[in-house]
Amino acid sequence: MHSVHFTAETSSDGVIERDFTVGEVTGVLWSPASASASGSASGSGRAPLVLMGHGGGTHKKAPGMVGRAHLLVTGCGFHVAAIDAPGHDGRPRTVYDEQEIAAMRQAMATGEPVGPIVVRYNAHLAERAVPEWRATLDALQELPEIGTEGPVGYYGLNMGTAIGVPLTAVEPRITAAAFGLHWPDALAETAKQITIPIEFTLQWDDEHIPRESGLALFDAFASKEKTLHANAGRHKELPRFEADSAVRFFARHLGGAVTSPA
């Protein structure tokens, strides 16, 4: 079993950001700067941990990822962890990775549908990423400031959903999850195994994912408590306020009071 090895640390606006590795996996952990901020309303004495998956072609510290992490840390006192998916942000690419990336670029250049390629490639990446996430969670829970007592959530859109759905289906430590912006093709059967609270977002005018596809994936989750957020706009026009909604969602289900950042 690999342990967390911290490689860099910075602090700003009440948030400590620490780069780490777990074996060959690169990640980042955001935590409250003050000990008092890390308390949890869940009664466990441990602040909840939210695992956050990034979108395809980006990385663990993409601007949207950093913004969401800071909202969760400053608004709820949570820890937030992200890792780079296989083949992303300097992680080695396989021959298959290069072939699929080239196929996506070709489809976009010629105006062909890119969805089938994305679905196929994301399913492949999920097979590799789910064991990495589980090993990372094991290692993070060995840290004294996290431990095994606090609840765990998962937050991921796009490719973050493609990886997060199969991860959540096999990982009992995850007790609430926010997903969205993905096709149902490779995920619907797995979603039927998930019964924890879910918040799901889709774009009503998504040029890549037909609204019927987004609705089909939402419908597949077996959760008794699940919420659909549908917004007008294209694929990359998800309103920023959906991140605020996700913070409130995790505060409700993991424990923690939402506060406005100073």
Side-chain angles (χ1 to χ4, degrees):
M1 174 179 170
H2 293 289
S3 299
V4 173
H5 175 63
F6 289 111
T7 58
E9 178 177 324
T10 59
S11 179
S12 64
D13 300 324
V15 179
I16 296 175
E17 178 182 289
R18 289 177 285 176
D19 293 350
F20 68 81
T21 59
V22 174
E24 296 181 355
V25 177
T26 50
V28 57
L29 177 65
W30 294 275
S31 300
S34 64
S36 62
S38 63
S40 170
S42 65
S44 68
R46 301 283 188 178
L49 170 66
V50 175
L51 310 177
M52 197 162 57
H54 64 78
T58 66
H59 55 86
K60 63 185 180 297
K61 287 189 182 181
M65 296 285 287
V66 175
R68 293 169 196 148
H70 276 241
L71 286 174
L72 286 162
V73 174
T74 60
C76 299
F78 293 173
H79 300 283
V80 181
I83 62 174
D84 290 310
H88 287 69
D89 197 35
R91 294 195 63 192
R93 289 178 177 174
T94 65
V95 172
Y96 183 79
D97 291 333
E98 297 290 1
Q99 291 173 342
E100 291 290 69
I101 292 168
M104 284 188 282
R105 289 173 176 167
Q106 177 66 19
M108 288 185 285
T110 59
E112 296 296 316
V114 72
I117 304 169
V118 174
V119 168
R120 180 180 68 221
Y121 183 44
N122 281 356
H124 170 77
L125 289 174
E127 291 180 358
R128 296 155 62 187
V130 167
E132 293 180 348
W133 261 123
R134 300 191 78 182
T136 298
L137 179 55
D138 289 343
L140 289 170
Q141 288 190 323
E142 291 294 318
L143 298 174
E145 64 269 37
I146 294 180
T148 60
E149 299 93 340
V152 179
Y154 181 89
Y155 185 10
L157 305 175
N158 298 295
M159 188 182 73
T161 288
I163 293 172
V165 169
L167 171 64
T168 300
V170 299
E171 183 47 77
R173 288 173 288 185
I174 297 174
T175 57
F179 299 124
L181 302 178
H182 206 276
W183 296 262
D185 306 56
L187 299 178
E189 287 302 314
T190 305
K192 293 177 182 178
Q193 305 171 32
I194 295 175
T195 59
I196 62 173
I198 296 295
E199 184 166 286
F200 190 89
T201 58
L202 64 83
Q203 289 299 94
W204 205 243
D205 309 298
D206 197 314
E207 69 275 25
H208 300 299
I209 307 170
R211 66 184 64 158
E212 294 80 7
S213 295
L215 291 170
L217 181 52
F218 171 75
D219 191 51
F221 289 102
S223 309
K224 291 184 177 179
E225 182 175 344
K226 57 181 179 180
T227 304
L228 174 67
H229 288 196
N231 293 280
R234 293 165 66 83
H235 185 74
K236 293 186 177 181
E237 295 175 347
L238 183 71
R240 290 188 178 183
F241 59 69
E242 286 295 351
D244 298 315
S245 177
V247 170
R248 294 191 295 270
F249 168 80
F250 286 116
R252 288 196 304 274
H253 294 291
L254 303 183
V258 177
T259 60
S260 298

